[in-house]
Amino acid sequence: MEMRELTVVAGSFVGFKLLQAGVSPLLSSALTEGYGRLPPAKHNEWNSRTVSTVHALIVGLFCLYILRYDDAVNADPVWGDPNLVKLNVAITCGYLLYDLVLLASNWRAMGDSFFVCHTLYAYGYVLSRGVLPYFANFRLISELSTPFVNQRWFYEILQYPRSDRLVVANGVAMTVVFFLVRIAVMPTYWQSVFATFGTAAFERLGLAAQVAWIVSCICLDVLNIIWMYKITRGCYRVILNARKARAKASNGDGSKQNYMNNHTD
């Protein structure tokens, strides 16, 4: 790993920590009164999700830029010049280090910690060896669904009714974007993977890297399919509840219930 990548990792870690500890509380307090009414434990998660959204937007948009304009990586997805990809991955590694410290300090679920460590190891491998730049960058497209997932949590913690138009719109957008960046891209991704099989570039990776790459991709896509199923069910329920609430309102007996937050589903 070169000094430039180490500097970006360190800068990313410090930047996201400052955003979580200083910028997010001030900005959130100015934007919504509900933030001040939350208990301290929820403040931590709120600020963490704010950082998560910022990271997702930076990395996701940078990912799209690389896919569109980085000819070296697109021409050789296994060993192409990883200059821009390593920069994007370094930002993510800095964020993952920040998240790991946050998880440890708050003693949250160990499963989350394991997932962060596993992802950090995978991207650290890309930084150290500079291999599979196209595929590492391609996986970062999935970050574009994160802002909608976080926004769903913000609405819920602020006790927006599930029939609220903003909640419904975000739920639909989350479902559509999640499908586009995690499910619809699977055929394109795996077509590119299969195209490398049997090539000199693929053999040069070695068995350990080959197995780690393919197995981790399969596991991640299985998880994405499971999450897609759950998100689709949740979106269907939100739309159904919104329709029921509007029907009651139109009948003159649901105006009061439209502002209740009955999370029974």
Side-chain angles (χ1 to χ4, degrees), residues 81-146:
D81 181 11
N83 188 44
L84 290 179
V85 173
K86 289 174 75 174
L87 180 61
N88 205 20
V89 170
I91 295 173
T92 295
C93 285
Y95 168 76
L96 290 173
L97 285 173
Y98 143 81
D99 200 31
L100 190 60
V101 170
L102 188 66
L103 289 169
S105 62
N106 288 280
W107 288 98
R108 286 162 58 180
M110 291 304 295
D112 290 340
S113 299
F114 174 80
F115 181 78
V116 171
C117 290
H118 177 268
T119 307
L120 187 60
Y121 171 79
Y123 283 127
Y125 197 82
V126 174
L127 282 181
S128 61
R129 290 192 58 186
V131 298
L132 304 169
Y134 173 86
F135 300 103
N137 185 68
F138 198 102
R139 282 298 182 184
L140 289 175
I141 295 177
S142 62
E143 288 295 331
L144 291 173
S145 64
T146 300

Side-chain angles (χ1 to χ4, degrees), residues 2-131:
E2 299 179 0
M3 182 57 65
R4 187 194 72 156
E5 282 77 41
L6 288 174
T7 302
V8 173
V9 171
S12 174
F13 173 84
V14 173
F16 286 128
K17 183 59 182 176
L18 290 175
L19 178 61
Q20 181 258 338
V23 178
S24 177
L26 293 175
L27 187 61
S28 299
S29 298
L31 292 177
T32 175
E33 296 180 357
Y35 176 81
R37 294 192 293 267
L38 297 176
K42 293 301 180 182
H43 283 167
N44 289 332
E45 186 167 2
W46 179 293
N47 296 327
S48 173
R49 287 181 180 272
T50 300
V51 174
S52 172
T53 295
V54 172
H55 163 261
L57 291 174
I58 293 173
V59 171
L61 294 176
F62 195 15
C63 168
L64 293 179
Y65 173 84
I66 294 172
L67 287 175
R68 177 65 180 83
Y69 295 106
D70 196 333
D71 295 333
V73 168
N74 292 328
D76 185 358
V78 180
W79 294 98
D81 181 11
N83 188 44
L84 290 179
V85 173
K86 289 174 75 174
L87 180 61
N88 205 20
V89 170
I91 295 173
T92 295
C93 285
Y95 168 76
L96 290 173
L97 285 173
Y98 143 81
D99 200 31
L100 190 60
V101 170
L102 188 66
L103 289 169
S105 62
N106 288 280
W107 288 98
R108 286 162 58 180
M110 291 304 295
D112 290 340
S113 299
F114 174 80
F115 181 78
V116 171
C117 290
H118 177 268
T119 307
L120 187 60
Y121 171 79
Y123 283 127
Y125 197 82
V126 174
L127 282 181
S128 61
R129 290 192 58 186
V131 298

